[in-house]
């Protein structure tokens, strides 16, 4: 149940018997959501005498400010007074507007400021100044003097930018949260279509519409108004031309809010020429962007690179651009609605194509840097950067695909991002892009050949041998014909990987050794080369020589530690853990697997994570906790759904799972085992990984609320410890 939006009164609350004075207008429709924001503003108004709500046009600054003012009116024995400034264009009329809002009359020769100062000097009053941005300098001067001369006065202001006065607290008002946006849309939709309800049929379209409109209340209300003539699905389909669609606001709304274009244009009109220029050029970005990219892409003779930071800062102050701190560092973004407005202005200048190519070139360079730095101590930074830049990388590929002469650049980009597709858990998206960029007939240059072997690699990991064979065979033949030794080495490597997951260990060992020899001749050393060694270790281990497998992976481990490589290390640790388990050291295996799983999860590498979790389940069963082993197996099954064919359909990779299930069923019985597996299948991946890493501490509830403790023995059985792997009963015989 939604709690009441009431803020506690101040200690000097005059009580219910004292009428609050003021001029706040009555609300004509319901106020929806924003509970956290209202609480924040109430708290800040206790702390500071000047609070400024800033945000982009249409985000709801006025409504939030007047709502919180109404909720707090009993704090102020002399009332809460709203001054609407959007229609005041002459700075000399500012003081008169405040006087009019306060209902003052003065027929003397005193100046308006003197009248205000004398009236407010001893009064306890909240002044709400709404929409001051076009009068910011004059307004700042007036507010500063009023606060100095009227010690019991508090000011709540709204605008695109702060007043920048001492003691001011700026409160950036973000778009509405998803659920609040949905509730607002449904409420306003019901006002024009009384039968409208969020049902299973309409909820999906409404949620997507709220997302596409950035959760901007004005946009949502205008979209709801269109339901007089259109369905929610039709409104969603027409959003590509949102500025034509979203018109016709309430007659009672300010003129600048009658259409979305006017609301955003109100902000645009108040920008200086260089701010408008940067706004337009920033529209080439998708999602987040950083300062370096802006300085390269958006600068020019009319906007020197050294001035970009100052202009960007001014757009931040005006809420046109938003700042976001992320794992990739300080980033910026524009709301889609603001970006599209800028895109229209950029198109009008005729500069869109040039800016898009500069954008594409920058992100080609970024992808190249990321691939090189992937094999370095900055691997985690690269992963975070590539994830945050993914929308821009997609846009760069789309740009390159538009011209037949530039398709090779899209192929280069899709191939270069192999570490993102494979190492950061984006196999499916990578597969789509790689297949798409290879659709056109192009020369078999280095870019196309690389895209082919990366496509084959992704198909291998997804458990699609037919797709993998087609891509890798084409790559090998064309690389051999073109004399491209590098592409040929990678194609041989990935063909060996295919043999590994399809249980042809002899061929896998032969091909992987061949690939390593080729890499050595080329002087290649990177994460792919290390993975070739790890895959060779797996093939050797599957054939029974775990000592040799462990020796290979210890060598890989040394290289990883020397180079700061973490991703390949996680797979080497997986092999070493299996060897430790086989030697009767489940404690050591668990230690290694925890590190492997933590690394894989940090990179969002679902494949590495799920392999580690499968082996952790077996370790858990060997250690005697069959119930938890069943839960981990169920959790792993759910993760495999997002990867591809479970365990590649391989008997060798599937042996730990089969052995774990055998031990757990023997210990628990069929029904409890299946119950635990289903419980694990209900865990989201983050929860499952956290649980696996924690090892189910004894004071933590189980998946259905039970404490883990000792697992009750099935009826008619006595629980006993699992047999040691050395005995041939409790552990795997071999790989």
């Amino acid at each position: 149940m939604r709690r009441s939006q009431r803020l506690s009164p101040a200690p000097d609350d005059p009580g219910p018997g004292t009428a609050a004075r003021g001029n706040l207008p009555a609300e004509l429709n319901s106020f929806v959501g924003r509970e956290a924001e209202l609480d924040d503003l109430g708290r800040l108004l206790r702390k500071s005498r000047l609070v400024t709500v800033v945000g982009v046009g249409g985000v709801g600054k006025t409504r939030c400010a007047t709502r919180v003012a109404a909720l707090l009116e009993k704090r102020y024995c002399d009332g809460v007074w709203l001054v609407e400034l959007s229609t005041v264009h002459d700075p000399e009329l500012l003081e008169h507007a405040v006087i009019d809002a306060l209902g003052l009359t003065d027929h003397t020769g005193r100046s308006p400021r003197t009248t205000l100062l004398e009236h407010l000097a001893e009064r306890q009053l909240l002044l709400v100044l709404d929409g001051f941005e076009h009068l910011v300098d004059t307004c700042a001067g007036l507010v500063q003097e009023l606060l100095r001369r009227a010690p019991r006065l508090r000011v709540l202001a709204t605008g695109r930018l702060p007043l920048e006065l001492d003691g001011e607290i700026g409160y950036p008002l973000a778009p509405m949260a998803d659920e609040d946006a949905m509730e607002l849309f449904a409420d306003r939709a019901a006002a024009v279509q009384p039968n409208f309800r969020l049902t299973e049929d309409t909820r999906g379209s409404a949620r997507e519409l709220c997302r596409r409109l950035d959760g901007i209340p004005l946009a949502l209300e205008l979209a709801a108004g269109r339901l007089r003539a259109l369905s929610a699905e039709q409104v969603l389909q027409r959003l590509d031309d949102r500025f034509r669609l979203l018109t016709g606001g309430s007659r009672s709304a300010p003129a600048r809010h009658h259409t979305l274009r006017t609301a955003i244009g109100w902000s645009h009109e108040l920008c200086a020429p260089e701010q408008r220029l940067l706004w337009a050029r920033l529209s080439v970005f998708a999602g987040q962007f950083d300062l370096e990219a802006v300085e390269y892409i958006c600068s020019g003779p009319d906007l020197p690179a050294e001035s970009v930071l100052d202009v960007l800062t001014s757009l931040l102050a005006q809420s046109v651009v938003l700042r976001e701190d992320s794992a990739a560092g300080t980033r910026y973004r524009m709301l889609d609605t603001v970006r599209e407005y800028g895109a229209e202005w950029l198109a009008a200048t005729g500069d869109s194509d040039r800016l898009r190519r500069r954008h594409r070139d920058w992100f080609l360079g970024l992808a190249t840097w990321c691939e090189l730095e992937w094999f370095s101590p900055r691997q985690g930074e690269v992963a975070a950067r590539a994830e945050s830049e993914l929308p821009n990388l997609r846009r760069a590929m789309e740009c390159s695909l538009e011209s037949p002469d530039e398709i090779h650049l899209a192929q280069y980009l899709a191939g270069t991002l192999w570490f993102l597709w494979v190492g950061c858990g984006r196999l499916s998206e990578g597969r789509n892009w790689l297949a798409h960029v290879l659709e056109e007939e192009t020369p078999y240059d280095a870019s196309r050949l690389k895209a082919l072997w990366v496509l084959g690699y992704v198909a291998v990991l997804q458990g699609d041998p037919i797709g993998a064979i087609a891509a890798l065979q084409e790559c090998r033949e064309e690389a051999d014909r073109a004399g491209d030794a590098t592409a040929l080495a990678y194609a041989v490597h990935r063909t060996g990987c295919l043999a590994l997951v399809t249980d042809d260990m002899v061929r896998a060992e032969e091909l992987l050794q061949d690939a390593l020899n080729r890499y050595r001749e080329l002087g290649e050393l990177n994460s792919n080369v290390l993975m070739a060694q790890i895959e060779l270790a797996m093939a050797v281990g599957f054939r029974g020589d775990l000592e040799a497998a462990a020796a290979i992976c210890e060598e890989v481990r040394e290289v990883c530690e020397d180079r700061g490589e973490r991703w390949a290390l996680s797979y080497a640790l997986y092999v070493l853990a299996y060897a430790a388990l086989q030697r009767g050291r489940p404690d050591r295996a668990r230690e290694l697997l925890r590190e492997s799983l933590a690394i894989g999860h940090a990179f969002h590498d679902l494949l590495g994570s799920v392999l580690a979790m499968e082996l952790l389940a077996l370790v858990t069963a060997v250690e005697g906790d069959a119930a938890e082993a069943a839960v981990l197996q169920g959790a792993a099954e759910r993760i495999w759904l997002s990867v591809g064919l479970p365990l590649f359909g391989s008997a060798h990779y599937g042996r730990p799972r089969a052995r774990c299930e055998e031990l757990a069923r023997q210990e628990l019985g069929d029904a409890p085992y299946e119950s635990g597996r289903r419980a694990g299948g209900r865990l989201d991946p983050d929860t499952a990984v956290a649980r696996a890493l924690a090892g189910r501490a004894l004071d933590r509830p189980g998946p259905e609320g039970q404490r883990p403790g000792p697992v009750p023995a099935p009826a008619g059985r006595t629980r006993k410890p699992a047999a040691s792997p050395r005995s041939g009963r409790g552990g795997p015989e071999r790989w």
Side-chain angles (χ1 to χ4, degrees), residues 13 31 45 53 96 196 213 217 261 287 303 314 412 443 460 462 465 495 537 579 581 599 706:
D13 181 358
F31 186 91
L45 279 168
V53 182
H96 292 283
F196 182 86
L213 292 177
R261 179 188 294 277
L303 187 63
S314 66
Y412 171 83
V460 167
Q462 289 185 313
T495 306
L581 180 61
I599 295 171
Q706 80 273 15

Side-chain angles (χ1 to χ4, degrees), residues 349-625:
T349 68
D351 207 20
S352 295
D353 290 342
R354 185 184 69 87
L355 264 293
R356 291 186 67 206
R357 286 193 298 273
R358 285 179 68 84
H359 174 277
R360 188 268 316 283
D361 293 345
W362 171 267
F363 285 100
L364 281 171
L366 178 68
T368 302
W369 176 86
C370 285
E371 184 185 33
L372 291 172
E373 293 300 311
W374 180 258
F375 187 57
S376 80
R378 290 176 290 278
Q379 201 171 50
E381 176 190 338
V382 169
R385 182 72 181 273
E387 285 284 349
S388 67
E389 299 289 14
L390 184 54
N392 286 304
L393 292 166
R394 291 170 180 149
R395 178 161 289 187
M397 282 188 279
E398 290 168 351
C399 178
S400 298
L401 286 168
E402 291 173 1
S403 169
D405 294 336
E406 296 182 338
I407 289 176
H408 67 285
L409 296 176
Q411 293 169 349
Y412 171 83
L413 189 51
T416 299
L417 292 174
W418 68 265
F419 64 90
L420 180 61
W421 314 137
V422 175
C424 300
R426 294 190 172 274
L427 291 174
S428 180
E429 178 171 358
R431 180 79 177 269
N432 287 335
W433 277 113
L434 289 158
H436 189 36
V437 300
L438 289 167
E439 285 175 355
E440 295 293 330
E441 294 292 335
T442 57
Y444 283 97
D445 59 8
S447 295
R448 184 176 184 87
L449 292 173
K450 185 171 186 177
L452 279 168
W453 73 252
V454 175
L455 174 60
Y457 183 17
V458 170
V460 167
L461 299 183
Q462 289 185 313
D464 177 14
I466 296 175
I469 289 170
L472 293 172
Q473 187 63 30
E474 182 180 353
C475 183
R476 290 181 70 179
E477 291 174 356
E478 296 300 333
D480 191 40
R481 184 175 295 115
D484 190 330
T486 300
L488 185 57
Y490 281 96
V492 170
H493 172 188
R494 293 308 163 193
T495 306
C497 184
L498 175 60
L500 175 68
V501 301
T502 53
D503 292 338
D504 189 348
M505 294 305 121
V506 174
R507 180 165 169 75
E509 189 173 342
E510 174 188 322
L511 288 168
L512 291 167
Q513 190 61 67
D514 182 14
L516 286 167
N517 292 335
R518 292 173 184 270
Y519 288 145
R520 195 171 298 112
E521 291 174 5
L522 290 165
E524 288 281 284
L525 180 59
N526 53 37
S527 299
N528 276 302
V529 175
L530 295 182
M531 285 300 296
Q533 290 182 264
I534 295 166
E535 290 152 5
L536 177 62
M538 291 177 177
V540 169
F542 284 150
R543 296 186 68 187
D545 192 349
L546 284 173
E547 294 298 329
I552 294 171
C553 286
E554 286 292 358
E555 180 183 333
V556 170
R557 188 176 187 176
E558 290 180 10
V559 176
C560 288
E561 290 172 354
D562 181 54
R563 297 301 187 105
E565 216 284 357
R566 300 287 291 167
W567 172 69
L569 175 63
S570 68
Y571 287 88
L573 293 172
Y574 167 81
V575 177
L576 292 170
Y578 208 118
L581 180 61
Q582 184 69 19
R583 295 175 182 136
R585 291 288 310 280
D587 55 334
R588 177 60 177 159
R590 178 176 289 279
E591 179 184 345
L592 292 164
L593 286 169
R594 278 179 171 170
E595 185 179 357
S596 174
L597 179 57
I599 295 171
H601 188 60
F603 283 115
H604 308 294
D605 180 0
L606 295 181
L607 177 60
S609 298
V610 75
L611 286 174
M613 189 172 291
E614 291 278 10
L615 197 50
L616 262 175
L618 176 57
V619 170
T620 303
V622 168
E623 290 177 331
D625 192 349

Side-chain angles (χ1 to χ4, degrees), residues 184-237:
L184 177 66
F185 177 74
D187 181 88
R188 300 305 190 253
V192 299
Q193 283 285 353
N195 294 327
F196 182 86
R197 298 288 185 276
L198 286 178
T199 65
E200 186 174 341
D201 292 335
T202 62
R203 186 174 296 275
S205 296
R207 184 177 299 280
E208 178 63 12
L209 192 149
C210 292
R211 185 192 68 78
R212 293 273 306 278
L213 292 177
D214 301 306
I216 297 177
L218 172 62
L220 296 173
E221 294 192 352
L222 293 173
R226 284 299 184 185
L227 296 186
R228 290 184 175 91
L230 303 172
S231 68
E233 292 80 2
Q234 289 174 313
V235 173
L236 184 59
Q237 291 167 3

Side-chain angles (χ1 to χ4, degrees), residues 138-153:
T138 306
C139 194
L142 175 61
V143 170
Q144 184 175 42
E145 187 170 2
L146 292 179
L147 290 174
R148 283 178 176 171
R149 302 280 294 276
R152 303 176 73 195
L153 171 69

Side-chain angles (χ1 to χ4, degrees), residues 68 72 87 120 186 189 192 216 225 294 370 522 536 591 665 678:
V68 76
L72 298 176
T87 58
L120 297 173
V192 299
I216 297 177
V294 175
C370 285
L522 290 165
L536 177 62
E591 179 184 345
R665 285 187 185 276
R678 287 193 298 272

